[in-house]
């Protein structure tokens, strides 16, 4: 099964990001990131909002935030071995994905400074005689870690706390169709 998540990262204070998203910090620790949404302020200055929904993280959610922060989103679906990283640092927009458009395919254009990450994963893939590990899947994940200092599947000092909507969706009785 594995992770099916998305991360929205912004180089901004956690309170400002959550406020812009219409979310409140409950202060309740989410040590295993099991809540629908949780957030952490990283020592690197990035705020990560973790969603247990592959489709939640979208940089458009931060449109209009002032001052406009650098942003990155990462979608990870380990069940189908797909990962998609999109970065907008204010100067450049770029993306790298694996298995999103075509199973087993790496796509995108990334800055030259990430070429060693890509080359290392490609070398591991080439040298892996067992064929049991998909090393190219790790490229978007490793680049996100390089940018923000956080890796979704590694032990971290980051303290994620549960975030909830300031405007919860009103639930109507099951019998009311309209």
């Amino acid at each position: 099964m594995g992770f099916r998540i998305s991360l929205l990262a912004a180089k901004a204070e956690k309170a400002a990001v959550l406020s812009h998203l219409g979310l409140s910090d409950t202060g309740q620790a989410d040590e295993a990131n099991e809540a629908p949404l949780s957030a952490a302020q990283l020592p690197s200055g990035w705020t990560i909002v973790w969603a247990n929904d592959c489709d939640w993280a979208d940089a458009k959610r931060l449109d209009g935030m002032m001052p406009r922060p650098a942003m990155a989103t990462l979608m990870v679906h380990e069940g189908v071995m797909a990962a998609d990283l999109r970065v907008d640092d204010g100067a450049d927009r770029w993306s790298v994905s694996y298995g999103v458009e075509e199973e087993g395919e790496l796509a995108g254009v990334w800055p030259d400074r990430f070429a060693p990450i890509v080359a290392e994963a490609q070398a591991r893939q080439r040298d892996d005689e067992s064929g049991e590990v998909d090393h190219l899947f790790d490229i978007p994940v490793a680049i996100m870690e390089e940018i923000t200092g956080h890796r979704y599947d590694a032990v971290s000092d980051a303290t994620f706390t549960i975030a909830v909507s300031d405007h919860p969706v009103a639930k109507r009785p099951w019998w009311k169709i309209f």
Side-chain angles (χ1 to χ4, degrees):
M1 293 230 336
F3 286 98
R4 291 186 331 200
I5 62 164
S6 59
L7 306 177
L8 173 62
K11 185 104 182 194
E13 292 296 317
K14 179 179 172 182
V17 172
L18 292 179
S19 175
H20 186 81
L21 294 171
L23 300 173
S24 292
D25 187 347
T26 65
Q28 182 180 351
D30 188 16
E31 295 172 6
N33 295 102
E34 294 175 319
L37 294 170
S38 57
Q41 177 78 52
L42 304 179
S44 63
W46 286 84
T47 293
I48 303 273
V49 180
W50 176 300
N52 281 306
D53 175 347
C54 283
D55 298 322
W56 185 87
D58 185 339
K60 290 179 184 174
R61 290 182 179 274
L62 295 177
D63 282 354
M65 185 172 176
M66 292 297 173
R68 188 185 176 290
M71 299 175 244
T73 61
L74 178 67
M75 179 282 299
V76 174
H77 191 312
E78 290 181 346
V80 295
M81 296 306 286
D84 183 49
L85 172 65
R86 299 186 180 276
V87 178
D88 182 350
D89 64 9
D92 291 318
R93 287 183 178 173
W94 53 274
S95 65
V96 59
S97 65
Y98 178 75
V100 173
E101 298 296 322
E102 188 78 31
E103 184 179 334
E105 292 292 320
L106 181 65
V109 178
W110 47 87
D112 290 340
R113 70 181 190 269
F114 299 116
I117 291 173
V118 176
E120 181 181 329
Q122 289 172 328
R124 284 194 318 262
Q125 185 76 21
R126 211 176 23 257
D127 298 341
D128 184 2
E129 293 178 12
S130 73
E132 293 181 23
V133 177
D134 201 339
H135 298 281
L136 300 182
F137 167 81
D138 195 50
I139 292 170
V141 174
I143 293 175
M144 178 73 152
E145 178 184 19
E146 181 70 23
I147 292 169
T148 66
H150 181 74
R151 187 176 170 102
Y152 80 94
D153 61 351
V155 175
S156 169
D157 291 337
T159 302
F160 280 85
T161 54
I162 296 172
V164 294
S165 175
D166 290 338
H167 309 287
V169 176
K171 292 186 179 180
R172 62 178 178 255
W174 64 269
W175 50 269
K176 280 194 174 181
I177 298 172
F178 300 101

